[in-house]
């Protein structure tokens, strides 16, 4: 009987504890309401830290809506119940306003919320006026003059991406969430400002604590410290993968002689940037800042493959084209710096490919496709006015102005040190005499490296024709598409570049009628701007692959982070530059260079591919004793963090908090007194305890 009573007591205690926890969770759910969004985070380089961080336990601030700049004065001049969390629309998210909030310090400002009300927004770029200014050919004003909008590459840049803020900045895109915040502000905060300190106010808590601090050198030293027994990581190098492919398969290296360069191999290096970046984690498509160049790059590669299916058609049968998409270029040219470093050491490609290394002597010249803001107004840039540059300009304009094709473009040139911030600068920094040409448009992107550089910024509308985009088009095809549509603009520039390269490779003028297919541009842009569950990615994937309906992230990330853009690019280039192998069954198409794709008809096909990865990790993290402040290589790292979250709640007034604390202290003192009195008089209070009860308590 006694054992049953004990068991019942235990079960009663467990049930009571469970009910208490459930009640506590319900109470918490009523007190707090989560807010979805994206947080600013911390990155570091060899000399500085940039970005944002909350306090360790989370930063709390009273909501205050900013409709006009004058609303900031309330927060900056002795606010009644600090700290506050201003809700700022994009048109007021300016450098001057953010720096004023930063100077006010965490005493007055603890959180900043960027709300997605874009009706008055005219520009939004927080990159520097001169991106990558100190890691290119040189840091002089000849390359880029930040003080002169006519001589820099991002006139609308505020540089906020490279500032360090003492509070978290949280971006809220969902308008339902924005409306919820504004309603909470209107209901509880937007009246009787002089009594803020005397009543409960609507507040937000943001958790985005960053582990790293100071700079990359300090952070890496802390991470690698011998006494770091817990294995804690405070930051990770920015790291990803370049993707490359050749127009034709290369001959394998001689066995036991993998380090010998085949000097008679010659390559035209065609490149573009793969990545983009913004202030906020996981948000930003880079539609104009890099995707336009990537789209042209892809079309050029595919058109050349179709026009020149055999290497025997070339003037030199040992010539080839090396197509490379460089990753991490937004952060001091990580991908191209590593590519140059590997080529210098004869470590590209890696030995695992069983092909001979490629040296700089193997590169005939480089054509780098840069930022194409105004895709119908393009310049050919070169450091010097060489015969190569002049010849390429003539070839490009020969096709751009030809009445046969009706492209109606005029490609201009600029031969000077005023070079755009593209991957070619990594090659020219090593050797100013390197034969590099850059195709770049004049800067018109007011949303460079921002969350608003999206499909709307490039005026993209998906045609969704369901037609075969893998077929080349005739000049007069697709008259249903507007001549000034984005798809047709990509078609025109891609065709011009591919035709000029065709003439360079064959020594003959292109006289055919086939041009790039605007439907491939349509599908490419849909995949990268709207949904990865798209016909092009499906065709380039294994049959039956399940693809996400979100566009791939193109931020370089860190080891173990999202590398989906590299993965999709790897499969896409592999598919578009491959050769069909109709006689090889599926079961035998398993080892590279053979790859099994779904194909346009999704029936499956085996293909001989040439694509592969190369490492996009700065050489600074490979060199022992590297001088982190030297500026030789990129030193960017990303801080680690545990979570990103935001929630709103009613913050009690200061009077209420003081009263609660005081009552708690009084109750604590009374409790100690009662315990002392009961303990000191226990013999008197419990002397008549019955024996049966004494046994239970004994």
């Amino acid at each position: 009987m006694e054992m049953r009573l004990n068991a019942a007591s235990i079960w009663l205690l467990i049930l009571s504890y469970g009910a208490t926890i459930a009640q506590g969770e319900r109470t918490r759910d009523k007190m707090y309401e989560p807010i979805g969004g994206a947080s600013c985070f911390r990155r570091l380089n060899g000399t500085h830290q940039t970005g944002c961080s909350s306090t360790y336990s989370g930063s709390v601030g009273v909501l205050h809506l900013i409709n006009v700049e004058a609303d900031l004065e309330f927060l900056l001049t002795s606010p009644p119940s600090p700290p506050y969390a201003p809700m700022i629309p994009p048109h007021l998210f300016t450098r001057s306003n953010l720096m004023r909030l930063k100077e006010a310090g965490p005493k007055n400002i603890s959180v900043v919320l960027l709300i997605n009300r874009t009706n008055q927004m005219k520009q939004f770029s927080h990159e520097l006026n001169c991106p990558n200014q100190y890691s290119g050919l040189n840091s002089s004003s000849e390359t880029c003059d930040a003080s002169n909008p006519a001589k820099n590459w991002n006139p609308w840049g505020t540089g906020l991406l490279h500032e360090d803020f003492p509070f978290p900045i949280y971006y809220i895109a969902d308008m339902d969430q924005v409306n919820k915040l504004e309603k909470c502000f209107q209901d509880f905060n937007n009246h009787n400002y002089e009594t803020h300190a005397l009543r409960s106010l609507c507040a937000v808590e943001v958790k985005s604590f960053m582990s790293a601090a100071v700079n990359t050198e300090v952070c890496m030293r802390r991470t690698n410290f011998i006494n770091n027994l817990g294995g804690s990581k405070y930051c990770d190098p920015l790291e990803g993968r370049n993707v490359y492919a050749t127009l034709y398969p290369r001959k394998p290296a001689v066995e036991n002689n993998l380090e010998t360069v085949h000097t008679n191999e010659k390559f035209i290096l065609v490149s573009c940037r793969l990545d983009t970046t913004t202030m906020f984690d996981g948000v930003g498509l880079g539609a104009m800042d890099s995707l336009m160049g990537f789209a042209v790059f892809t079309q050029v590669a595919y058109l050349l493959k179709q026009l020149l299916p055999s290497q025997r058609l070339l003037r030199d049968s040992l010539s080839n084209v090396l197509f490379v998409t460089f990753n991490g270029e937004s952060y001091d040219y990580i991908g191209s710096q590593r590519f140059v470093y590997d080529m210098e050491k004869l470590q590209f490609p890696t030995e695992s490919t069983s092909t001979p290394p490629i040296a700089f002597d193997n590169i005939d010249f480089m054509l780098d496709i840069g930022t194409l803001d105004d895709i119908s107004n393009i310049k050919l840039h070169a450091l010097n006015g060489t015969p190569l540059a002049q010849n390429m300009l003539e070839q490009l304009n020969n096709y751009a102005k030809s009445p046969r094709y009706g492209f109606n473009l005029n490609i201009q040139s600029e031969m000077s040190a005023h070079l755009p911030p593209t991957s070619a600068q990594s090659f020219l920094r090593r050797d100013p005499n390197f034969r590099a040409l850059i195709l770049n448009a004049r800067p018109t992107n007011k949303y460079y490296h921002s969350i608003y550089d999206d499909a709307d910024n490039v005026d993209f509308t998906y045609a969704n024709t369901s037609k075969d985009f893998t077929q080349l088009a005739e000049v007069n095809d697709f008259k249903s598409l507007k001549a000034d549509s984005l798809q047709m603009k990509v078609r025109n520039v891609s065709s011009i570049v591919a035709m000029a390269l065709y003439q360079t490779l064959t020594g003959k003028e292109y006289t055919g009628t086939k041009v790039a297919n605007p439907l491939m541009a349509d599908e490419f842009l849909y995949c990268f701007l709207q949904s990865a569950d798209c016909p092009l990615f499906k065709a380039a994937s294994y049959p039956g692959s399940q693809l996400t309906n979100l566009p791939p992230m193109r931020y370089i990330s860190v080891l173990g982070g999202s590398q989906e853009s590299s993965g999709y690019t790897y499969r896409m280039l592999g598919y578009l530059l491959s050769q069909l192998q109709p006689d090889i069954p599926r079961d035998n198409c398993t080892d590279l260079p053979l790859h099994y794709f779904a194909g346009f008809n999704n029936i499956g096909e085996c293909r001989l591919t040439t694509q592969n990865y190369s490492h996009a990790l700065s050489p600074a993290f490979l060199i022992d004793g590297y001088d982190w402040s030297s500026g030789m290589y990129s030193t960017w790292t990303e801080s680690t963090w545990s979570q990103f979250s935001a929630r709103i709640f009613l913050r009690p007034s200061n009077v209420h908090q003081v009263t609660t604390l005081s009552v708690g202290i009084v109750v604590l003192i009374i409790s100690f007194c009662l315990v002392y009195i009961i303990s000191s008089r226990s013999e008197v209070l419990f002397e008549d305890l019955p024996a049966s009860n004494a046994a239970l308590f004994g």
Side-chain angles (χ1 to χ4, degrees), residues 37-41 168-171 206-208 210 279-281 644:
S39 181
C40 167
F41 58 99
I169 302 177
Y170 203 74
Y171 169 59
V206 173
K207 291 184 177 180
S208 60
M210 299 289 132
M279 279 185 76
F280 302 96
D281 180 49
F644 286 151

Side-chain angles (χ1 to χ4, degrees), residues 543-593:
S545 298
Q546 298 297 314
L547 305 180
T548 176
N549 60 359
L550 297 174
M553 288 176 53
R554 293 195 300 122
Y555 171 62
I556 182 175
S557 194
V558 297
L559 182 64
S562 173
Q563 299 291 337
E564 55 186 359
S565 63
S566 298
Y568 283 124
T569 302
Y570 173 88
R571 292 188 289 273
M572 181 181 66
L573 282 184
Y575 176 63
L576 296 178
L577 290 174
S578 59
Q579 297 175 358
L580 182 64
Q581 306 292 306
D583 298 328
I584 299 180
R586 178 174 182 168
D587 292 342
N588 294 339
C589 190
T590 55
D591 298 325
L592 288 176

Side-chain angles (χ1 to χ4, degrees), residues 57-78:
S57 58
S59 298
V60 175
V62 175
L63 292 178
H64 188 76
L65 181 61
I66 307 297
N67 288 313
V68 294
E69 281 198 33
D71 292 337
L72 288 171
E73 300 304 321
F74 170 77
L75 303 179
L76 301 174
T77 55
S78 303

Side-chain angles (χ1 to χ4, degrees), residues 91-125:
H91 70 281
L92 295 175
F93 196 85
T94 62
R95 180 176 182 83
S96 61
N97 288 342
L98 266 291
M99 297 309 289
R100 291 179 70 195
L101 294 175
K102 178 180 177 179
E103 290 168 7
K107 180 180 178 181
N108 286 349
I109 306 298
S110 58
V111 178
V112 170
L113 300 180
L114 173 62
I115 56 175
N116 190 28
R117 290 205 177 277
T118 60
N119 50 314
Q120 297 184 58
M121 179 178 67
K122 292 183 173 57
Q123 62 190 60
F124 196 86
S125 174

Side-chain angles (χ1 to χ4, degrees), residues 248-291:
Y248 306 108
R250 298 182 66 208
K251 293 181 180 179
V254 178
E255 190 174 355
N256 299 324
N257 195 15
L258 296 176
E259 296 181 358
T260 301
V261 176
H262 290 186
T263 55
N264 53 355
E265 261 193 309
K266 293 297 179 184
F267 294 90
I268 297 175
L269 172 58
V270 180
S271 62
C272 74
R273 174 158 68 106
L274 177 61
D275 66 300
T276 186
T277 189
T278 71
M279 279 185 76
F280 302 96
D281 180 49
V283 186
L285 298 172
M288 190 179 289
D289 75 46
S290 60
L291 194 61

